[in-house]
């Protein structure tokens, strides 16, 4: 149980285009989803926290107009990187926490999406 | 907000030896401390966690200790095996600058177990 999927697993795009990443909780309802970014050989940095049906809360330094987050249902959150540039190339990982999972503390991570912007 | 520091950044041990990774945190209100193992290009996998009302927890070859007074917690891996080689992250659930409680991760430790 507590499986989180992410799509796509990797994407290559041209500079200036927008990319949408989906994060789904497959067997539980995710009341809260988190989006992280991980640069090579670095730690996971929280970008934003989203609760179903409300606006996402962004961490300091993360541009909300560039990284659009939508958490329209209890099983799906999307991250759209708008007007992507090479410096946005990174590994984007979502995690979910919610009802039906083992305890309210544990977060379940998706497999990640590797974004490469040319 | 929470700040988590992790040491060492790299650790090389011989197969069968023990490995210890240490983390400190800043927010005394943090109450949940998970440890994750991440292999290259893959998602972090929870290997063990501990809550603030417990001082030690063990699961086979893996153990975690927590010292709330000193605000540090440690991961202990005994009888290491080559498949233990990965990057390990500690995390603490504390109050962030946004006021929300979320996980703050340490910088990671690259563990290499030499056969």
């Amino acid at each position: 149980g507590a499986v989180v999927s992410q799509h796509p697993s990797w994407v290559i795009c041209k500079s200036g285009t927008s990319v949408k990443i989906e994060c789904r909780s497959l067997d539980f309802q995710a009341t809260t989803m988190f989006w992280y970014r991980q640069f090579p050989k670095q730690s996971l940095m929280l970008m934003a926290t989203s609760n179903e049906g409300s606006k996402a809360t962004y961490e300091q330094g993360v541009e909300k107009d560039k990284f659009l987050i939508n958490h329209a249902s209890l099983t799906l959150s999307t991250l759209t990187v708008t007007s992507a540039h090479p410096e946005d190339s990174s590994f984007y990982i979502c995690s979910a926490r919610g009802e039906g999972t083992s305890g309210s503390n544990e977060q379940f991570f998706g497999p990640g999406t590797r974004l490469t912007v040319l | 907000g929470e700040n988590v520091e992790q040491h060492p950044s790299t650790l090389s041990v011989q197969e069968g030896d023990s490995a210890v990774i240490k983390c400190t945190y800043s927010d005394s209100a943090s109450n949940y401390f998970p440890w994750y193992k991440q292999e290259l290009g893959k998602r972090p996998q929870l290997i063990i966690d501990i809550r603030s009302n417990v001082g030690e927890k063990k699961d086979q070859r893996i153990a975690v200790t927590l010292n709330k007074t000193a605000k540090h917690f440690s991961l202990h891996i005994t009888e290491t095996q080559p498949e233990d080689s990965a990057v390990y992250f500690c995390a603490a659930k504390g109050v962030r600058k946004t006021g929300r409680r979320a996980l703050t991760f340490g910088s990671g430790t690259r563990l290499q177990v030499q056969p």
Side-chain angles (χ1 to χ4, degrees), chain A residues 4 34 36 38 41-44 46 49 51 57-60 91 93 97 103-107 109-111 114, chain B residues 31-32 36 38 41-46 49 51 89 93 96-98 100-108 110:
Chain A
V4 176
F34 304 89
Y36 295 85
Q38 186 178 32
K41 297 186 178 181
Q42 293 190 24
S43 188
L44 287 81
L46 181 66
T49 303
N51 291 294
T57 302
Y58 290 80
E59 295 298 302
Q60 195 170 9
F91 193 49
I93 310 176
R97 186 180 72 204
S104 61
N105 285 307
E106 188 172 352
Q107 291 184 24
F109 284 87
R114 184 160 303 283
Chain B
N31 59 4
Y32 175 65
Y36 292 90
Q38 187 180 32
K42 296 189 176 179
R43 77 184 87 194
Q45 297 275 10
L46 178 71
D49 58 11
R51 287 165 174 73
F89 292 98
K93 184 179 176 186
R96 302 190 64 85
K97 291 176 183 177
T98 55
R100 291 181 176 266
R101 299 184 70 83
L103 289 178
T104 299
F105 284 82
S107 53
R110 184 171 299 277

Side-chain angles (χ1 to χ4, degrees), chain A residues 48 55-59 61-69 79-80 82:
Chain A
K55 289 184 179 180
T57 302
Y58 290 80
E59 295 298 302
V62 178
E63 299 174 55
K64 61 180 66 176
D65 293 331
K66 181 169 181 62
F67 298 99
L68 302 178
I69 292 172
L79 167 67
T80 301
T82 62

Side-chain angles (χ1 to χ4, degrees), chain B residues 68-100:
Chain B
K68 284 174 56 181
T69 304
K71 288 189 284 188
H72 66 69
F73 56 114
S74 301
L75 176 71
H76 304 253
I77 305 175
T78 58
E79 301 171 30
T80 54
Q81 301 166 2
E83 49 266 37
D84 294 331
S85 298
V87 179
Y88 291 81
F89 292 98
C90 64
K93 184 179 176 186
V95 179
R96 302 190 64 85
K97 291 176 183 177
T98 55
R100 291 181 176 266

Side-chain angles (χ1 to χ4, degrees), chain B residues 8 10-15 17-19 109-114:
Chain B
T10 59
L11 179 59
S12 182
V13 300
Q14 289 294 125
E15 183 177 358
D17 288 350
S18 295
T109 296
R110 184 171 299 277
L111 173 65
Q112 202 156 15
V113 180
Q114 308 287 351

